[in-house]
Amino acid sequence: MNPPSIMAFKGIPNKSSSLNNFTVEVMPDASIIWSLASDPKKSVVFAAILNAIYTFHNFSFWQRPLVTMPTEYKGRSVVSGQIAFDFVSNNLYWCDSMLNWIAIKPAYNFNNTIYKVIVHKNLFLPEGLALDPEDGLMFFSDNDPNSRIEKAFLDGQNRVIIVYKGLARVLSLTVDTADDRLYWADSAKHTLEGSDFDGSNRRVVRRLTQASGLSYHQNFLHAVSYWTNSMLGVDPTSGSLLYSRNFPSLKPFAITVYDADSPNSFNDPCSTFNCHHMCINTPSGPKCLCSEGFYINKDNKTCRDASQFYERGFIVSNDTAIAMHDILPNGGQPNEIIYIPVPGNIIESFAVDANSDIIYFLDMESSSLKQYDIRLKQLRILDSISTSRDLIFDWIAELLGWIEPRQSSIRSFSVNSQITVTIYSNLQNPAFLTVDPHYGELYWISGSSEKSIVRGTWTRDAPRVLISAANLNLPRCLQYDVTSKR
C-alpha cells in the first residue's frame, strides 16, 4: 500500500463473513512493507520497511490511524526478504537477499551493533524464512541459482537441504509447529506447497497466482498476493478455500498472524543462561552468540573484541593510514570509522587476509612488502621490493602478488615459505592485477595505447589474451568476483 499501511483483520474470516478490519498508516513513508512478524506477549508487530526493521509497540485493534515506529535495526538492504521472531528466546531474524546472508539480533535491544550473521556461506538469494523456536530450528529458501529450501539450527549450524526439486522462487515460508509441517509459497510456480520438516511427504496444497506472503495459524494457511491484490485462507489438508478477498486499490505483500489470546507458554532456556550478547535455543540446548567483530571467551558466555576492525566492512587507505567502515547498507546507523595509523610509511596498495586479520601493503617509503597483524597490532617487513603496485592476496594458495612496472613483471611472495619469485617478466605494461583464488588464475590489463585483458596463472602458464583491445575502450580497473566467477 502507498502510503505504507498495516491492515488488521479481527478474527479469522470465512467464505460468507465480512472482514472486520482497520488500517494504520505507518512512518516512515515507503512504497512497500517487505515482511511482518509479531510478538503478542509484548503487544508488538515488527515490520521490514525500506532499509530497516521497525517495532510497532502497543498494537491493538483500537489503533490511531497514523503510527510512527521506532527502529529495531537499521541496515538491511532494500530488497525482499522475510523477517521472523523467535518467541521462546526473543530474538529477531532476517534475510538480506542483496548481501546474501541471514542475521539475528536480540529483539528490543536497540543497539544497532549487536547483531550476528549466522548463515552466509553458499547463500546467494535468501528470501523466505520461518522458525520453530520450540525445537530450535530454522528454515530458509535460497532462490539462486537453483531454488532450494534448507533446514538448520537456530544458530545457523547443521544445515541440511530438504527440498531442491521443482522449485522456482520461494518468497515466503511458514511452519505448523504442532505437526512439524513446513509450508511455502512459490510465486513463480504459482503454488502453495508443504512437506514434513525433513522434506518428506511433499504435496501441492493449492494453485495460487504469485503469492508473496504466507502464514499458518490454527490449522489454516493465510496468504496474500502483491500482484493480484488479494488475500485468502486455505485448508492445508484439503486445499479448499476458507475465504478469499480482493482489494482493488491495495497491494498486500506480507502477512502475519497476531494472536494475543494464545494459551501457549514456553520455558525459555536462555532466561538464566546469562549470555553477554545474545542467546539462542538449539536442539542441544541454549547457546551464547557474540555480535559481529567479537569472539566467544572460554566460558562460552562472555564476548571479547576480536580485533580493531569489524567482522565485515570496507577498507580504504591513504599514504599513512588504513580505515574501515562497517557494512551497513542504505543509510544504516553509521558505526564509528576505525583508523589504523601507519606512520613512516607510504602505502601504495594493500591486500587483506580476512581469515587471519592481517593487512599486507606495499610501502614505497622503504621499498618493502609489509604485514600488519590487526589483532596483535604488530607491523613487520616481509621482503624488499622495487617500485611496485597492485598488491593482491590469494587466500587459498597463501600467495601475494604484485606488478613491478619498471621490469614489466609480476612477482609473488609465499606466506608459507616466505620466498619471493618472478611469475612473469617482459610483459607489455601490465597493470591492475587481480586473482581468481579458486583456480589460481591471474588477470591484468596489458598494453599502452591499445589495451587488452590477459589471463595467466601462478604456475606460469603462457599468458593468453582474454579480451582483445578491439573490444575494449581504455579500461582503468580490474577486479575478479569469485561469487559469480566473472
Side-chain angles (χ1 to χ4, degrees):
M1 301 173 65
N2 196 2
S5 305
I6 295 176
M7 179 176 283
F9 301 93
K10 189 175 182 181
I12 303 299
N14 56 44
K15 286 184 178 180
S16 60
S17 69
S18 62
L19 294 176
N20 189 6
N21 68 84
F22 74 92
T23 301
V24 178
E25 294 182 10
V26 298
M27 296 294 290
D29 192 6
S31 60
I32 194 169
I33 297 175
W34 293 108
S35 184
L36 295 168
S38 67
D39 179 12
K41 290 187 298 183
K42 289 186 170 63
S43 301
V44 164
V45 170
F46 301 100
I49 307 173
L50 291 174
N51 64 329
I53 300 173
Y54 292 88
T55 304
F56 189 159
H57 288 286
N58 301 316
F59 181 85
S60 74
F61 197 79
W62 309 107
Q63 195 71 51
R64 60 187 185 275
L66 179 63
V67 175
T68 300
M69 300 185 292
T71 306
E72 177 77 25
Y73 172 80
K74 193 171 186 179
R76 67 181 296 276
S77 301
V78 187
V79 288
S80 62
Q82 269 189 285
I83 61 176
F85 178 68
D86 171 2
F87 52 78
V88 173
S89 299
N90 294 315
N91 292 311
L92 192 63
Y93 291 71
W94 68 94
C95 291
D96 193 311
S97 57
M98 181 176 288
L99 294 177
N100 306 328
W101 69 37
I102 297 172
I104 175 182
K105 75 176 300 293
Y108 314 114
N109 182 332
F110 294 97
N111 184 341
N112 212 60
T113 66
I114 302 298
Y115 72 96
K116 177 71 174 178
V117 174
I118 56 172
V119 183
H120 61 89
K121 186 177 181 181
N122 298 323
L123 200 62
F124 304 102
L125 190 64
E127 292 186 300
L129 179 65
L131 308 179
D132 179 358
E134 299 167 82
D135 294 330
L137 298 174
M138 64 184 297
F139 302 86
F140 56 91
S141 65
D142 186 1
N143 291 319
D144 187 59
N146 299 307
S147 186
R148 68 182 188 273
I149 298 174
E150 294 190 37
K151 176 177 69 175
F153 289 179
L154 285 178
D155 61 353
Q157 301 300 307
N158 298 85
R159 290 170 59 180
V160 178
I161 298 174
I162 59 171
V163 182
Y164 63 93
K165 292 183 178 179
L167 299 176
R169 188 183 182 189
V170 178
L171 278 180
S172 186
L173 299 171
T174 189
V175 291
D176 172 4
T177 58
D179 291 333
D180 289 349
R181 290 283 293 177
L182 173 70
Y183 297 97
W184 62 90
D186 193 320
S187 64
K189 280 185 60 182
H190 310 294
T191 58
L192 297 182
E193 300 185 52
S195 74
D196 291 343
F197 276 3
D198 60 1
S200 63
N201 297 316
R202 177 182 175 184
R203 58 184 292 269
V204 175
V205 175
R206 188 179 180 88
R207 300 288 175 182
L208 177 63
T209 303
Q210 292 183 302
S212 54
L214 185 66
S215 186
Y216 178 89
H217 182 65
Q218 292 184 350
N219 303 318
F220 287 100
L221 291 169
H222 306 273
V224 293
S225 173
Y226 177 83
W227 294 275
T228 62
N229 302 30
S230 61
M231 170 183 172
L232 54 84
V234 176
D235 184 329
T237 303
S238 65
S240 60
L241 275 179
L242 172 67
Y243 64 88
S244 178
R245 295 291 185 273
N246 186 262
F247 309 102
S249 62
L250 308 179
K251 288 186 172 295
F253 192 90
I255 186 170
T256 190
V257 172
Y258 181 95
D259 187 359
D261 298 325
S262 175
N264 296 330
S265 60
F266 305 97
N267 175 46
D268 179 9
C270 287
S271 60
T272 59
F273 210 59
N274 298 320
C275 291
H276 188 184
H277 283 179
M278 61 191 88
C279 179
I280 49 97
N281 179 36
T282 72
S284 57
K287 178 180 179 180
C288 296
L289 294 181
C290 294
S291 183
E292 292 293 291
F294 289 81
Y295 289 158
I296 196 82
N297 284 318
K298 292 181 180 180
D299 60 6
N300 290 321
K301 292 187 178 183
T302 58
C303 303
R304 72 182 188 278
D305 194 346
S307 71
Q308 294 169 273
F309 275 3
Y310 297 113
E311 187 75 8
R312 295 170 178 82
F314 301 100
I315 301 177
V316 296
S317 77
N318 60 15
D319 283 353
T320 59
I322 297 169
M324 185 180 196
H325 192 291
D326 197 8
I327 294 181
L328 286 173
N330 304 305
Q333 293 287 342
N335 294 323
E336 180 184 359
I337 297 176
I338 299 173
Y339 295 93
I340 297 179
V342 192
N345 296 268
I346 299 178
I347 302 172
E348 195 285 331
S349 65
F350 67 90
V352 180
D353 179 357
N355 292 324
S356 302
D357 280 342
I358 288 176
I359 296 176
Y360 300 99
F361 65 91
L362 301 172
D363 175 23
M364 294 300 95
E365 178 69 20
S366 62
S367 298
S368 59
L369 172 65
K370 291 185 176 179
Q371 168 190 298
Y372 181 80
D373 190 310
I374 300 172
R375 298 178 193 170
L376 300 178
K377 301 180 182 179
Q378 292 180 349
L379 180 67
R380 73 185 186 96
I381 297 175
L382 298 178
D383 202 359
S384 297
I385 56 174
S386 62
T387 301
S388 303
R389 67 187 184 198
D390 302 335
L391 184 66
I392 60 171
F393 177 65
D394 181 333
W395 65 86
I396 295 178
E398 295 279 304
L399 290 172
L400 291 159
W402 64 90
I403 289 173
E404 295 189 351
R406 291 177 182 174
Q407 288 75 31
S408 292
S409 65
I410 296 174
R411 306 197 76 196
S412 73
F413 176 86
S414 170
V415 174
N416 296 323
S417 67
Q418 303 284 292
I419 294 175
T420 300
V421 298
T422 299
I423 304 297
Y424 294 109
S425 58
N426 300 318
L427 299 173
Q428 295 182 355
N429 297 309
F432 304 111
L433 184 65
T434 189
V435 62
D436 172 10
H438 293 293
Y439 294 94
E441 293 180 336
L442 305 172
Y443 300 87
W444 64 91
I445 295 173
S446 178
S448 298
S449 58
E450 295 185 348
K451 298 180 182 295
S452 58
I453 296 178
V454 178
R455 178 172 61 195
T457 65
W458 290 124
T459 54
R460 301 184 179 88
D461 291 348
R464 174 185 171 190
V465 174
L466 191 66
I467 303 176
S468 67
N471 296 308
L472 294 171
N473 184 18
L474 298 178
R476 296 183 181 277
C477 191
L478 198 63
Q479 290 290 332
Y480 187 85
D481 178 5
V482 296
T483 302
S484 62
K485 299 179 181 178
R486 294 176 64 84

